[in-house]
Amino acid sequence: MAAPRVPGSGDERRLELPCGETLDPHEIDLGMREYTCACGTRHAVVTDVHPPSRFFPESLVAVLRETIDTDDEFEEFGTPHLMGVVLEEFPDRVVAFDASDDGAVGYTLVWVTDFDARRLHEIVVELVVELMEHAISHADDDDAVSEFETQMLEFDVSEFVEQYRRQRDFESEHDRPV
Ligand SMILES: [Zn+2]
């Protein structure tokens, strides 16, 4: 009997996707943000090399670094934390692959999701808003809390994602991590 396949384990050279198809991690290059799959849909691809500014502005990244404590091997809040939150929320729809022992790829970690890059972007922004709400609810400053809540009532996630993706020209192959 064949050993069970463990997605993400170091000696598994085929990454099993949530849809049931497989992907060779060596096919993933650092510029890839979406993978057109044999199942007929596109899956978002994120590597640890992609900065969080793939999803939102550097100014917000800075705020998150200030407010969120990380107690793991990563020095500061970054893409692995974002994808960790997504994975926690959608355990059946995200696969992670550890390529740290593979010198042939330029990344250490890669995540592939069942949903496409645009939907992932919305999910990441929604989860970050929740993280910030949680962080700010512990603040002593009631004014800050209510101001934040007011801003969030007006905040339209899909509108933000639309604009941000247009600004950063995500479909362009010339887009580079900043
Ligand atoms: Zn697929």
Side-chain angles (χ1 to χ4, degrees):
M1 203 175 105
R5 296 164 63 97
V6 182
S9 73
D11 50 355
E12 176 58 80
R13 294 292 91 182
R14 298 292 293 180
L15 175 55
E16 193 166 340
L17 303 179
C19 63
E21 297 289 338
T22 57
L23 169 62
D24 180 348
H26 296 95
E27 282 179 45
I28 299 170
D29 69 61
L30 296 182
M32 189 189 280
R33 293 168 186 277
E34 213 166 47
Y35 170 69
T36 304
C37 185
C39 75
T41 60
R42 289 171 301 162
H43 304 302
V45 175
V46 181
T47 73
D48 61 312
V49 178
H50 296 160
S53 56
R54 167 172 169 177
F55 302 109
F56 39 77
E58 284 79 5
S59 55
L60 182 56
V61 178
V63 171
L64 288 168
R65 287 188 171 147
E66 289 276 306
T67 45
I68 294 169
D69 285 329
T70 55
D71 51 356
D72 51 33
E73 73 266 36
F74 303 104
E75 276 173 24
E76 53 183 7
F77 186 86
T79 298
H81 301 101
L82 285 178
M83 293 310 295
V85 179
V86 176
L87 186 58
E88 210 168 274
E89 200 75 12
F90 300 97
D92 304 330
R93 306 192 66 190
V94 183
V95 290
F97 183 78
D98 185 344
S100 52
D101 63 345
D102 190 338
V105 294
Y107 55 84
T108 305
L109 289 165
V110 64
W111 297 265
V112 183
T113 71
D114 203 24
F115 19 81
D116 65 18
R118 158 92 204 223
R119 179 70 193 125
L120 173 68
H121 198 155
E122 288 181 357
I123 287 167
V124 166
V125 172
E126 279 164 12
L127 292 173
V128 161
V129 168
E130 278 176 33
L131 272 179
M132 293 189 68
E133 269 171 349
H134 183 75
I136 209 143
S137 68
H138 291 285
D140 293 329
D141 186 343
D142 289 344
D143 290 344
V145 175
S146 63
E147 193 191 320
F148 182 78
E149 281 170 352
T150 311
Q151 282 174 1
M152 284 306 115
L153 283 176
E154 291 163 7
F155 183 70
D156 183 331
V157 172
S158 96
E159 177 67 23
F160 168 83
V161 168
E162 181 71 41
Q163 281 187 15
Y164 197 72
R165 295 177 73 79
R166 209 183 299 137
Q167 256 176 36
R168 298 281 173 131
D169 193 19
F170 274 98
E171 303 314 320
S172 161
E173 59 181 304
H174 304 296
D175 187 47
R176 290 277 180 272
V178 286

